[in-house]
Amino acid sequence: MKKPIKKTWMIASALTIGMAVLTPLQAGATSVEPTNGVTVQIEQQITGAIKSISDDGMYLKGRDGKNYYISFYKFSEEQRLKMNLVEGQEITVEGNVVEDYSDFYTFEVYKKELPKGVTNEELTKLEKMFNEVKKLEKEASKAEENKAFEEAEKKYEEIRKIYSDMNKITNPYYLANWQPQPFEEYIENYGFSEKNIVIAESDKKQLKVIYEEWVKLEKDGQEEKSNNKYDEFSKILQPYFDELYPPQPFEDFMERLDLDIPTETLAILKPIYEDAQKAEKVENYELSEKLWSEFSNIIDQFVKPEPFEEYIANYDFEISDTDKKQLKQLYEEALKLDKKEEQEKIRENWEAFHNILDTYFKANKEVLISPSKVIVNGQEYLLQ
């Protein structure tokens, strides 16, 4: 079972992409031409400083100004921890070029995640289905690029069906290998005790019975009945979740936004905010979406846009003076236009703005590397 997901307001920030310097490992290696026009060797060595790190990989920055993304998929969690990678650290990577981020997730990676017991015959079937999914994903992506959305959706429907067939093979093994936690440990994971929230003894007894019934149904593979038990469990816990994750008071939310909003406008916003929260609580998502949209439209009037110079400084590449001048004109003009009456003109401005920037994005697009070796402080880490 999983904890309910609460909707939150989030602010997105631009990621600065890193770069690296590349050296061929062997003369005469076959070369490929990535979409950014940088010719590299299939077998290659990259040396660069780590720009940023995520759970799945890292970006490197090199002396030549090129960008590279190194996937972690083929390395174990234990190896990643031993590498002790930090931003700014210089490392060397050996590996192959791939065309797309999805190419990092190969069948060999998928196979490592499978539970014990899957037979060789089943592995052969899974590999065939896995490769068909990868093919369909590329076809769907291409269809979307060509705005053939109906064709793309058909491909995705085929993908969903294949994944369902793959799950029919693997799920019995996952369930056989699953060791559920004792109820007391499981309920402790929710963190109620950390907030001094006490579950009534009668509720706790009922929850334990339902939990043990749910475990048995999961083990037996009775999905529909298992889901019904999950709903029973969640329904009893919901009041405690409400106490654990209380809605943020309007005043606290507005203070965090740090906007200069008149008192009379705040008086209009508060009931909309509280009604939207109530609608979410009763799962009336259509109403909550309508109310949040209304709330955002009012808030937007008081959000001061970034000056162009601050906005453009977020990008880690040089823009020519001519393009920068044109971008600034488009940016500032778009912000001055009336949002209600000049939507078409605003759209045209932003489209022209992004068309100019796209040239730089493509020129600075990272080369994707699937590594076979990572060298950190002279220590080599090879695929296991």
Side-chain angles (χ1 to χ4, degrees):
M1 293 183 199
K2 296 180 181 178
K3 298 181 186 180
I5 297 172
K6 295 279 183 179
K7 285 192 176 181
T8 57
W9 288 70
M10 295 180 292
I11 298 173
S13 61
L15 285 176
T16 304
I17 296 173
M19 301 165 236
V21 63
L22 175 150
T23 308
L25 276 177
Q26 58 184 39
T30 307
S31 64
V32 294
E33 176 115 357
T35 53
N36 63 354
V38 179
T39 301
V40 293
Q41 303 297 323
I42 289 179
E43 291 295 329
Q44 60 191 2
Q45 186 178 84
I46 301 163
T47 298
I50 299 173
K51 186 67 178 177
S52 63
I53 306 169
S54 68
D55 290 339
D56 299 327
M58 58 186 164
Y59 291 94
L60 299 183
K61 180 176 182 177
R63 304 180 195 99
D64 62 358
K66 295 184 179 69
N67 303 308
Y68 296 89
Y69 178 79
I70 314 300
S71 168
F72 285 150
Y73 265 134
K74 291 183 178 179
F75 289 91
S76 68
E77 184 65 26
E78 183 182 2
Q79 284 177 303
R80 296 180 210 175
L81 291 172
K82 283 182 178 178
M83 289 180 198
N84 193 27
L85 300 170
V86 293
E87 291 183 9
Q89 184 179 31
E90 186 163 282
I91 67 167
T92 297
V93 177
E94 295 178 8
N96 300 324
V97 175
V98 300
E99 293 180 5
D100 190 84
Y101 282 96
S102 65
D103 294 331
F104 290 133
Y105 192 63
T106 63
F107 183 71
E108 289 304 310
V109 175
Y110 168 80
K111 192 166 68 172
K112 287 180 182 179
E113 300 170 351
L114 290 174
K116 294 178 182 177
V118 179
T119 67
N120 288 333
E121 183 181 351
E122 288 168 329
L123 280 174
T124 301
K125 290 179 183 177
L126 287 168
E127 184 171 14
K128 185 178 178 181
M129 287 188 279
F130 182 92
N131 291 334
E132 180 62 19
V133 165
K134 302 297 280 186
K135 182 173 80 72
L136 288 166
E137 283 177 342
K138 289 184 182 293
E139 291 173 356
S141 179
K142 191 171 182 180
E144 284 183 330
E145 286 176 15
N146 296 328
K147 298 185 178 179
F149 299 117
E150 285 187 20
E151 182 186 343
E153 182 51 39
K154 287 178 183 177
K155 300 290 182 186
Y156 287 127
E157 186 56 44
E158 289 182 62
I159 290 169
R160 284 189 283 270
K161 185 180 182 306
I162 294 171
Y163 272 131
S164 176
D165 291 339
M166 292 171 75
N167 289 338
K168 286 175 185 175
I169 295 173
T170 59
N171 276 355
Y173 295 103
Y174 281 116
L175 292 172
N177 286 278
W178 177 44
Q179 295 297 323
Q181 289 176 291
F183 169 75
E184 290 74 15
E185 286 182 20
Y186 181 82
I187 207 73
E188 186 65 25
N189 289 337
Y190 284 106
F192 293 121
S193 60
E194 294 170 17
K195 296 290 181 72
N196 297 318
I197 297 169
V198 179
I199 299 175
E201 199 58 37
S202 57
D203 284 340
K204 190 176 282 189
K205 285 180 182 177
Q206 194 175 356
L207 284 166
K208 184 174 182 178
V209 170
I210 295 171
Y211 177 78
E212 289 169 354
E213 289 173 349
W214 172 77
V215 166
K216 187 175 184 306
L217 290 168
E218 281 284 297
K219 281 278 190 183
D220 291 343
Q222 298 187 53
E223 189 175 346
E224 187 175 346
K225 289 183 179 180
S226 167
N227 289 339
N228 289 338
K229 282 294 166 189
Y230 169 89
D231 291 340
E232 283 183 49
F233 193 91
S234 298
K235 190 174 181 179
I236 295 171
L237 273 185
Q238 192 57 53
Y240 300 101
F241 282 130
D242 291 342
E243 191 177 349
L244 185 63
Y245 304 110
Q248 187 176 27
F250 173 74
E251 290 74 15
D252 291 353
F253 178 80
M254 296 308 298
E255 184 179 350
R256 207 175 51 135
L257 285 183
D258 193 26
L259 296 174
D260 188 13
I261 300 177
T263 305
E264 57 270 23
T265 306
L266 290 173
I268 295 169
L269 285 168
K270 185 172 183 177
I272 299 172
Y273 178 87
E274 292 174 347
D275 287 346
Q277 289 184 323
K278 288 175 186 175
E280 280 189 355
K281 188 173 181 178
V282 297
E283 299 183 0
N284 187 344
Y285 298 121
E286 186 177 345
L287 176 58
S288 72
E289 187 176 344
K290 178 176 177 292
L291 290 167
W292 284 126
S293 178
E294 185 181 346
F295 186 87
S296 296
N297 287 337
I298 298 172
I299 288 284
D300 284 348
Q301 301 170 44
F302 302 95
V303 176
K304 292 179 181 178
E306 267 187 307
F308 172 77
E309 288 73 18
E310 289 182 20
Y311 175 86
I312 212 69
N314 290 321
Y315 298 110
D316 192 27
F317 47 72
E318 289 295 322
I319 300 172
S320 73
D321 290 341
T322 303
D323 284 340
K324 194 174 286 186
K325 184 177 179 181
Q326 192 175 354
L327 285 166
K328 183 175 182 177
Q329 182 181 339
L330 290 165
Y331 183 87
E332 293 179 347
E333 185 179 322
L335 296 178
K336 288 176 184 176
L337 293 168
D338 188 297
K339 290 182 180 180
K340 291 182 179 179
E341 297 181 7
E342 299 178 274
Q343 290 184 4
E344 182 60 27
K345 178 61 178 169
I346 291 172
R347 188 190 65 77
E348 289 174 3
N349 269 46
W350 285 123
E351 190 173 314
F353 182 89
H354 291 298
N355 283 342
I356 296 171
L357 273 185
D358 279 348
T359 307
Y360 291 93
F361 283 126
K362 287 175 183 176
N364 289 275
K365 186 177 179 181
E366 63 274 7
V367 178
L368 309 179
I369 305 295
S370 179
S372 57
K373 182 195 292 186
V374 175
I375 304 171
V376 185
N377 295 327
Q379 177 69 46
E380 292 187 355
Y381 296 90
L382 300 170
L383 295 182
Q384 294 180 340

mmCIF file of all heavy atoms in Angstrom, residues 174-189:
data_model
loop_
_atom_site.group_PDB
_atom_site.id
_atom_site.type_symbol
_atom_site.label_atom_id
_atom_site.label_comp_id
_atom_site.label_asym_id
_atom_site.label_seq_id
_atom_site.Cartn_x
_atom_site.Cartn_y
_atom_site.Cartn_z
ATOM 1 N N TYR A 174 7.177 -12.099 -8.246
ATOM 2 C CA TYR A 174 7.283 -10.988 -7.294
ATOM 3 C C TYR A 174 6.538 -11.326 -6.005
ATOM 4 O O TYR A 174 7.041 -11.095 -4.899
ATOM 5 C CB TYR A 174 6.695 -9.704 -7.890
ATOM 6 C CG TYR A 174 7.610 -9.002 -8.854
ATOM 7 C CD1 TYR A 174 7.266 -8.860 -10.195
ATOM 8 C CD2 TYR A 174 8.832 -8.457 -8.437
ATOM 9 C CE1 TYR A 174 8.112 -8.212 -11.096
ATOM 10 C CE2 TYR A 174 9.675 -7.807 -9.318
ATOM 11 C CZ TYR A 174 9.315 -7.691 -10.652
ATOM 12 O OH TYR A 174 10.154 -7.056 -11.524
ATOM 13 N N LEU A 175 5.335 -11.880 -6.164
ATOM 14 C CA LEU A 175 4.523 -12.203 -4.991
ATOM 15 C C LEU A 175 5.154 -13.322 -4.174
ATOM 16 O O LEU A 175 5.126 -13.304 -2.945
ATOM 17 C CB LEU A 175 3.112 -12.594 -5.432
ATOM 18 C CG LEU A 175 2.266 -11.454 -6.033
ATOM 19 C CD1 LEU A 175 0.967 -11.986 -6.607
ATOM 20 C CD2 LEU A 175 1.989 -10.385 -4.983
ATOM 21 N N ALA A 176 5.739 -14.299 -4.868
ATOM 22 C CA ALA A 176 6.384 -15.417 -4.163
ATOM 23 C C ALA A 176 7.597 -14.943 -3.369
ATOM 24 O O ALA A 176 7.906 -15.494 -2.308
ATOM 25 C CB ALA A 176 6.791 -16.493 -5.169
ATOM 26 N N ASN A 177 8.282 -13.917 -3.888
ATOM 27 C CA ASN A 177 9.483 -13.398 -3.215
ATOM 28 C C ASN A 177 9.179 -12.280 -2.218
ATOM 29 O O ASN A 177 10.057 -11.842 -1.483
ATOM 30 C CB ASN A 177 10.468 -12.866 -4.260
ATOM 31 C CG ASN A 177 11.167 -13.977 -5.021
ATOM 32 O OD1 ASN A 177 12.137 -14.547 -4.542
ATOM 33 N ND2 ASN A 177 10.658 -14.306 -6.197
ATOM 34 N N TRP A 178 7.939 -11.806 -2.196
ATOM 35 C CA TRP A 178 7.563 -10.680 -1.352
ATOM 36 C C TRP A 178 7.477 -11.091 0.110
ATOM 37 O O TRP A 178 6.797 -12.056 0.461
ATOM 38 C CB TRP A 178 6.218 -10.120 -1.829
ATOM 39 C CG TRP A 178 5.685 -8.995 -1.009
ATOM 40 C CD1 TRP A 178 6.356 -7.929 -0.524
ATOM 41 C CD2 TRP A 178 4.312 -8.823 -0.591
ATOM 42 N NE1 TRP A 178 5.517 -7.093 0.160
ATOM 43 C CE2 TRP A 178 4.251 -7.615 0.136
ATOM 44 C CE3 TRP A 178 3.152 -9.566 -0.775
ATOM 45 C CZ2 TRP A 178 3.067 -7.147 0.691
ATOM 46 C CZ3 TRP A 178 1.963 -9.099 -0.229
ATOM 47 C CH2 TRP A 178 1.930 -7.890 0.492
ATOM 48 N N GLN A 179 8.175 -10.356 0.962
ATOM 49 C CA GLN A 179 8.105 -10.579 2.398
ATOM 50 C C GLN A 179 7.450 -9.360 3.047
ATOM 51 O O GLN A 179 8.118 -8.370 3.346
ATOM 52 C CB GLN A 179 9.511 -10.787 2.970
ATOM 53 C CG GLN A 179 10.213 -12.038 2.463
ATOM 54 C CD GLN A 179 9.496 -13.307 2.861
ATOM 55 O OE1 GLN A 179 8.952 -13.411 3.960
ATOM 56 N NE2 GLN A 179 9.473 -14.288 1.966
ATOM 57 N N PRO A 180 6.127 -9.400 3.246
ATOM 58 C CA PRO A 180 5.438 -8.227 3.806
ATOM 59 C C PRO A 180 5.886 -7.935 5.231
ATOM 60 O O PRO A 180 6.225 -8.844 5.995
ATOM 61 C CB PRO A 180 3.960 -8.626 3.755
ATOM 62 C CG PRO A 180 3.963 -10.113 3.723
ATOM 63 C CD PRO A 180 5.203 -10.522 2.993
ATOM 64 N N GLN A 181 5.869 -6.649 5.580
ATOM 65 C CA GLN A 181 6.226 -6.243 6.942
ATOM 66 C C GLN A 181 5.132 -6.647 7.922
ATOM 67 O O GLN A 181 3.946 -6.695 7.544
ATOM 68 C CB GLN A 181 6.365 -4.725 7.011
ATOM 69 C CG GLN A 181 7.584 -4.159 6.315
ATOM 70 C CD GLN A 181 7.555 -2.639 6.376
ATOM 71 O OE1 GLN A 181 6.723 -2.005 5.737
ATOM 72 N NE2 GLN A 181 8.462 -2.054 7.138
ATOM 73 N N PRO A 182 5.489 -6.889 9.158
ATOM 74 C CA PRO A 182 4.460 -7.042 10.194
ATOM 75 C C PRO A 182 3.630 -5.753 10.257
ATOM 76 O O PRO A 182 4.149 -4.665 9.980
ATOM 77 C CB PRO A 182 5.254 -7.248 11.482
ATOM 78 C CG PRO A 182 6.602 -7.706 11.030
ATOM 79 C CD PRO A 182 6.844 -7.059 9.713
ATOM 80 N N PHE A 183 2.379 -5.866 10.624
ATOM 81 C CA PHE A 183 1.473 -4.717 10.629
ATOM 82 C C PHE A 183 2.044 -3.552 11.429
ATOM 83 O O PHE A 183 1.989 -2.400 10.994
ATOM 84 C CB PHE A 183 0.111 -5.126 11.198
ATOM 85 C CG PHE A 183 -0.780 -3.953 11.486
ATOM 86 C CD1 PHE A 183 -1.409 -3.263 10.455
ATOM 87 C CD2 PHE A 183 -0.973 -3.495 12.797
ATOM 88 C CE1 PHE A 183 -2.219 -2.163 10.718
ATOM 89 C CE2 PHE A 183 -1.773 -2.405 13.058
ATOM 90 C CZ PHE A 183 -2.404 -1.743 12.019
ATOM 91 N N GLU A 184 2.605 -3.835 12.614
ATOM 92 C CA GLU A 184 3.099 -2.764 13.491
ATOM 93 C C GLU A 184 4.208 -1.952 12.815
ATOM 94 O O GLU A 184 4.256 -0.725 12.923
ATOM 95 C CB GLU A 184 3.608 -3.353 14.816
ATOM 96 C CG GLU A 184 2.526 -3.909 15.732
ATOM 97 C CD GLU A 184 1.951 -5.238 15.240
ATOM 98 O OE1 GLU A 184 2.574 -5.877 14.350
ATOM 99 O OE2 GLU A 184 0.874 -5.623 15.730
ATOM 100 N N GLU A 185 5.104 -2.656 12.109
ATOM 101 C CA GLU A 185 6.177 -1.954 11.391
ATOM 102 C C GLU A 185 5.604 -1.147 10.239
ATOM 103 O O GLU A 185 6.029 -0.016 9.970
ATOM 104 C CB GLU A 185 7.192 -2.965 10.840
ATOM 105 C CG GLU A 185 8.101 -3.567 11.884
ATOM 106 C CD GLU A 185 9.113 -4.512 11.251
ATOM 107 O OE1 GLU A 185 9.348 -4.404 10.018
ATOM 108 O OE2 GLU A 185 9.656 -5.360 11.978
ATOM 109 N N TYR A 186 4.651 -1.754 9.531
ATOM 110 C CA TYR A 186 4.072 -1.097 8.359
ATOM 111 C C TYR A 186 3.378 0.210 8.751
ATOM 112 O O TYR A 186 3.580 1.256 8.113
ATOM 113 C CB TYR A 186 3.071 -2.035 7.676
ATOM 114 C CG TYR A 186 2.452 -1.436 6.438
ATOM 115 C CD1 TYR A 186 3.119 -1.464 5.229
ATOM 116 C CD2 TYR A 186 1.206 -0.823 6.484
ATOM 117 C CE1 TYR A 186 2.569 -0.899 4.081
ATOM 118 C CE2 TYR A 186 0.648 -0.249 5.359
ATOM 119 C CZ TYR A 186 1.325 -0.296 4.163
ATOM 120 O OH TYR A 186 0.779 0.279 3.050
ATOM 121 N N ILE A 187 2.575 0.167 9.804
ATOM 122 C CA ILE A 187 1.811 1.359 10.200
ATOM 123 C C ILE A 187 2.740 2.430 10.753
ATOM 124 O O ILE A 187 2.475 3.635 10.629
ATOM 125 C CB ILE A 187 0.711 0.993 11.222
ATOM 126 C CG1 ILE A 187 -0.457 1.998 11.143
ATOM 127 C CG2 ILE A 187 1.239 0.881 12.619
ATOM 128 C CD1 ILE A 187 -1.312 1.851 9.915
ATOM 129 N N GLU A 188 3.872 1.999 11.319
ATOM 130 C CA GLU A 188 4.844 2.956 11.868
ATOM 131 C C GLU A 188 5.474 3.794 10.753
ATOM 132 O O GLU A 188 5.854 4.947 10.964
ATOM 133 C CB GLU A 188 5.928 2.188 12.636
ATOM 134 C CG GLU A 188 6.927 3.069 13.370
ATOM 135 C CD GLU A 188 6.312 3.882 14.507
ATOM 136 O OE1 GLU A 188 5.264 3.460 15.055
ATOM 137 O OE2 GLU A 188 6.889 4.944 14.837
ATOM 138 N N ASN A 189 5.577 3.206 9.556
ATOM 139 C CA ASN A 189 6.206 3.904 8.421
ATOM 140 C C ASN A 189 5.459 5.176 8.020
ATOM 141 O O ASN A 189 6.042 6.055 7.377
ATOM 142 C CB ASN A 189 6.279 2.983 7.200
ATOM 143 C CG ASN A 189 7.305 1.883 7.383
ATOM 144 O OD1 ASN A 189 8.239 2.022 8.172
ATOM 145 N ND2 ASN A 189 7.128 0.782 6.675
#
